[in-house]
């Protein structure tokens, strides 16, 4: 009894001290607003509920980004169905002190909760400094939620919507829950495989408690969370994440229990004698429907099935992202090198600490056959790894290096020697003009999709964007969200409007002497156009995101008049100068439009937005958050009239009655 009391008294609640890694963030790299680092603090928002810039916020939510052609294009080649992996974002958290035993993990969800998918606990490896990750929870395993009135609710089956938890408090005739069924979220989500319901949880502030008792057999201070927010109604926001347990005493004895395996045991009773009688083609097709883990387990049943399961063509497309935790130098050298001789599509996204020699051997095996390579969030990459890609994979067409934030600007330079790039994603990297200008020029006939979102080190953003719009006639999508140095001059110059030449000269003179000399040489090599008369040659452009930049008056109107006929997505998030004339021009020229984001506009009026709803018959997504001239009452009327998906965020609020939003 005394031991139990001592344990209770010694339990501490720690707040994150550091973020080791993460996949994306809504905020910029240079500010705290909407940054993932906002969880490294005590609770500041809870028990309020609403949109707060002081919370952790990921880059995307819901089905909207996933169902765009630019995203589908990067996924369509990975045909093997990994049905257990639905994670979209992750964060790796470090706490100050080792904890053992672990009691619980407490996640303060203050906006659109319910998208947690997986929890890992990290074990420090004293031999090499790496962290060994153990999965301890996966949705919909049991958990509890604590509401702001301190009521704790235990949930066994993942069901956590308002009418599931509090059926007696929901008026089914008038509840705000009804409005959720009058938009197109359902239709979009039906195209995506997910374990979560829509919406994933009741919309009120809560502390999500993941039990860790008897699940962790070692001292830890490392937690990894993965999220599937494809059913979230809006951006998910988290105030902080606390780890509860006893500060570890290094001399205490640890139990000899073993963490349960990450994957379920696979039942291998498949009546091999009958299967091996099937024709090769039919058996090969059956094997292609197995996820990678099941395929490898199935191969161990007999020699004949091993030959079928591990045939090189089964590895024609290889998505290792769902197995990021098990992809080591040993697995590459002792297994994949033998079977990847026919691999054309390869994803190593989220993998940890693959050594240079293993990476070199793997890409050497794939060599010129490799068409797609995904390396998102691979923080072990250096310039030497990039050189390997260029040396071996000369026919690469789709390259994803998003959030590889440890690469320097000079590390990217070898990429300029690639000549077949159709899709390039360098979101939140340090890539600059030295790589991008020659790379764009070398691939101007092929380039279809480019993501420069949150790239803060471009330096010559004007030259880069001008070259894209002047030469890339097959461009389908461009993401310039939060891209640095997108000036009014830049915007005006790409659509043929008059702009300040002297300002351009001043910008150039403010660069260092070395940068001026380098740019002069590169401009000459790529024959950078001085003026662009129009961009009507961009007949295929479908998606553009210039959120959190500042396009000048007149740009949007002229832009859509030239290329609006093909646009299906326009994101103008926090573009404060977007006018009613711009919105009317969009309604007249973008008749195929499906998604429009004008969050934060204080100019747009209801009459202009009504033109969008009447003329753009395919519109399915409208974000009108913080548009002060558009009332909540008007949006409610539009929801009933047009049945579209309207997004409307609001500042954090506190109601004494936790059920008030659904009354």
């Amino acid at each position: 009894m005394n031991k139990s009391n001592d344990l209770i008294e010694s339990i501490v609640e720690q707040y994150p001290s550091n973020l080791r890694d993460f996949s994306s963030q809504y905020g910029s790299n240079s500010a705290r607003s909407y940054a993932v680092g906002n969880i490294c603090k005590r609770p500041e928002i809870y028990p309020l509920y609403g949109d707060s810039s002081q919370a952790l916020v990921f880059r995307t939510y819901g089905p909207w980004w996933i169902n765009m052609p630019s995203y589908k294009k990067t996924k369509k080649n990975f045909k093997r169905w990994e049905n257990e992996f639905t994670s979209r974002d992750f964060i790796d958290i470090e706490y100050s002190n080792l904890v053992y035993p672990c009691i619980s993990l407490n996640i303060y969800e203050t906006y659109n909760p319910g998208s947690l998918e997986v929890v890992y606990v990290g074990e420090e490896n004293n031999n090499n400094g790496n962290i060994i990750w153990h999965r301890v929870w996966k949705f919909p395993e049991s958990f509890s939620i604590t509401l702001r009135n301190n009521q704790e609710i235990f949930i066994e089956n993942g069901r956590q919507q308002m009418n599931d938890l509090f059926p007696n408090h929901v008026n089914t005739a008038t509840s705000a829950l009804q409005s959720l069924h009058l938009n197109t979220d359902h239709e979009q989500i039906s195209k995506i495989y997910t374990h979560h319901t829509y919406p994933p949880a009741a919309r009120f502030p809560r502390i999500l408690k993941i039990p860790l008792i008897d699940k962790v057999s070692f001292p830890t201070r490392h937690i990894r969370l993965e999220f599937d927010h494809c059913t979230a109604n809006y951006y998910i926001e988290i105030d902080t994440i606390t780890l509860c347990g006893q500060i570890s005493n290094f001399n205490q004895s640890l139990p000899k229990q073993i963490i349960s395996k990450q994957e379920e045991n696979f039942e291998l009773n498949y009546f091999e004698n009958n299967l091996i009688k099937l024709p090769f083609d039919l058996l090969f097709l059956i094997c292609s429907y197995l996820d990678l883990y099941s395929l490898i387990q199935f191969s161990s049943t007999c020699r004949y099935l091993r030959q079928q399961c591990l045939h090189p063509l089964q590895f024609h497309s290889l998505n290792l992202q769902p197995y990021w935790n098990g992809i080591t130098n040993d697995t590459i050298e002792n297994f994949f090198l033998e079977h990847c001789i026919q691999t054309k599509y390869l994803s190593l996204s989220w993998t940890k600490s693959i050594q240079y020699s293993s990476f070199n051997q793997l890409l050497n095996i794939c060599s010129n056959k490799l068409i797609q390579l995904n390396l998102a969030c691979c923080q072990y990459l250096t310039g030497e790894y990039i050189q390997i890609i260029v040396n071996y994979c000369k026919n690469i067409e789709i390259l994803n290096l998003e959030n590889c934030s440890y690469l320097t600007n000079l590390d990217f330079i070898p990429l300029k020697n690639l000549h077949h790039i159709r899709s390039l994603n360098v979101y939140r990297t340090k890539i600059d003009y030295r790589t991008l200008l020659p790379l764009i020029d070398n691939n101007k006939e092929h380039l279809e999709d480019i993501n420069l979102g949150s790239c803060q080190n471009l330096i010559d953003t004007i030259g880069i964007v001008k070259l894209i719009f002047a030469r890339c006639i097959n461009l389908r999508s461009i993401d310039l969200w939060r891209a640095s140095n997108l000036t009014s001059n830049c915007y005006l110059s790409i659509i043929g409007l008059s702009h300040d030449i002297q300002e351009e000269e001043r910008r150039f003179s403010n660069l260092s002497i070395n940068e001026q000399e380098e740019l002069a040489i590169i401009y000459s090599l790529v024959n950078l156009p001085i003026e662009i008369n129009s961009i009507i040659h961009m007949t295929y452009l479908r998606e553009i995101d210039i959120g959190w930049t500042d396009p000048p008056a007149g740009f949007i109107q002229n832009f859509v008049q030239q290329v609006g006929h093909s646009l299906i997505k326009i994101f103008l998030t926090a573009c404060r100068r977007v006018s009613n004339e711009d919105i009317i021009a969009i309604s007249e020229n973008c008749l195929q439009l499906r998604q429009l984001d004008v969050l934060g506009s204080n100019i747009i009026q209801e009459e202009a937005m009504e033109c969008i709803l009447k003329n753009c018959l395919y519109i399915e997504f409208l974000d009108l958050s913080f548009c002060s001239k558009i009332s909540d009452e008007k949006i409610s009327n539009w929801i009933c009239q047009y049945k579209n998906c309207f997004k409307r965020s609001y500042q954090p609020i506190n109601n004494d009655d936790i059920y008030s939003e659904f009354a």
Side-chain angles (χ1 to χ4, degrees), residues 478-535:
I478 182 168
D479 190 332
L480 297 170
W481 184 83
R482 288 193 188 272
S484 63
N485 302 317
L486 268 175
T487 63
S488 294
N489 245 23
C490 176
Y491 278 115
L492 294 173
S493 66
I494 64 176
I495 56 172
L497 294 183
S498 60
H499 54 283
D500 189 346
I501 301 296
Q502 291 182 340
E503 181 184 326
E504 179 67 9
E505 293 173 351
R506 287 193 298 270
R507 180 191 69 85
F508 201 81
S509 65
N510 287 333
L511 301 175
S512 69
I513 298 298
N514 287 339
E515 289 171 340
Q516 291 181 41
E517 293 175 350
E518 283 182 323
L519 272 175
I521 294 172
I522 296 173
Y523 279 5
S524 176
L525 291 173
V526 303
N527 192 23
L528 186 76
I530 298 175
E531 298 288 341
I532 301 177
N533 294 326
S534 74
I535 53 173

Side-chain angles (χ1 to χ4, degrees), residues 114-350:
S115 60
L116 184 65
E117 179 70 11
V118 189
V119 176
Y120 291 89
V121 172
E123 179 181 7
E124 295 181 355
N125 187 333
N126 294 326
N127 296 326
N128 56 23
N130 292 334
I131 296 173
I132 303 170
W133 294 99
H134 303 269
R135 195 183 78 188
V136 295
W137 183 89
K138 181 175 175 60
F139 182 85
E141 293 174 9
S142 60
F143 58 95
S144 65
I145 56 175
T146 301
L147 307 182
R148 57 189 169 199
N149 62 359
N150 292 323
Q151 178 183 2
E152 184 169 9
I153 303 171
F154 292 92
I155 299 175
E156 297 293 335
N157 60 358
R159 299 291 291 179
Q160 43 185 323
Q161 295 184 52
M162 190 69 178
N163 48 0
D164 295 316
L165 298 178
F166 306 107
N168 296 329
H169 290 82
V170 178
N171 184 330
T172 56
T174 62
S175 169
L177 285 169
Q178 299 304 307
S179 67
L180 299 177
H181 302 286
L182 293 176
N183 56 48
T184 54
D185 270 351
H186 274 299
E187 179 184 345
Q188 294 294 318
I189 291 169
S190 67
K191 304 173 185 177
I192 300 168
Y193 180 79
T194 178
H195 303 126
H196 291 266
T197 58
Y198 170 76
R203 294 180 295 175
F204 44 63
R206 68 193 199 160
I207 302 173
L208 171 64
K209 182 177 290 187
I210 303 298
L212 298 179
I213 296 176
D214 297 329
K215 292 186 176 182
V216 184
S217 62
F218 49 84
T220 188
R221 57 183 169 191
H222 301 284
I223 296 292
R224 177 187 174 99
L225 306 181
E226 295 181 3
F227 298 84
D228 177 9
H229 41 61
C230 72
T231 62
N233 193 257
Y234 204 63
Y235 292 99
I236 69 167
E237 298 190 9
I238 296 173
D239 190 4
T240 191
I241 300 168
T242 65
L243 176 62
C244 291
Q246 186 177 13
I247 299 298
S248 175
N249 176 359
F250 288 98
N251 296 319
Q252 72 188 105
S253 59
L254 302 178
K256 295 183 179 180
Q257 68 186 79
I258 300 174
I259 296 292
S260 58
K261 285 188 65 175
Q262 177 174 326
E263 298 87 1
E264 302 270 336
N265 286 329
F266 188 80
E267 185 62 46
L268 296 177
N269 183 18
Y270 278 99
F271 307 102
E272 302 96 276
N273 290 334
N274 291 325
L275 281 172
I276 61 177
K277 296 177 182 178
L278 293 174
F280 171 85
D281 291 350
L282 184 55
L283 186 54
F284 184 90
L285 180 63
I286 292 172
C287 291
S288 71
Y289 283 95
L290 298 175
D291 62 72
L292 183 61
Y293 176 74
S294 302
L295 181 74
I296 294 172
Q297 291 293 308
F298 193 28
S299 72
S300 66
T301 55
C302 72
R303 182 178 300 175
Y304 180 77
L305 288 178
R306 178 177 177 82
Q307 292 173 349
Q308 299 295 314
C309 291
L310 303 185
H311 191 283
L313 287 178
Q314 289 288 357
F315 299 86
H316 178 257
S317 66
L318 184 60
N319 181 11
L320 296 180
Q321 183 179 357
Y323 306 96
W324 63 267
N325 191 26
I327 305 305
T328 64
N329 301 301
D330 286 340
T331 57
I332 289 175
E333 294 176 12
N334 297 325
F335 181 81
F336 289 109
L337 289 183
E338 181 182 350
H339 303 292
C340 289
I341 58 176
Q342 297 291 337
T343 301
K344 296 179 67 175
Y345 311 100
L346 174 64
S347 177
L348 295 170
S349 294
W350 295 12

Side-chain angles (χ1 to χ4, degrees), residues 51 234 572-580 583 596-609 622-635 638 646-651:
D51 185 354
Y234 204 63
L572 306 172
T573 316
C575 296
R576 310 297 182 187
R577 290 191 275 185
V578 175
S579 66
N580 291 300
I583 297 301
L596 176 64
D597 186 338
V598 291
L599 175 149
S601 171
N602 292 319
I603 300 175
I604 299 173
Q605 296 178 331
E606 294 171 355
E607 294 77 12
M609 192 55 60
L622 273 171
D623 193 334
L624 303 176
S625 301
F626 306 115
C627 293
S628 58
K629 298 286 180 64
I630 300 177
S631 67
D632 291 338
E633 292 76 16
K634 192 64 175 177
I635 291 179
W638 285 342
F646 295 87
K647 301 300 180 184
R648 184 74 156 181
S649 187
Y650 52 85
Q651 298 286 353

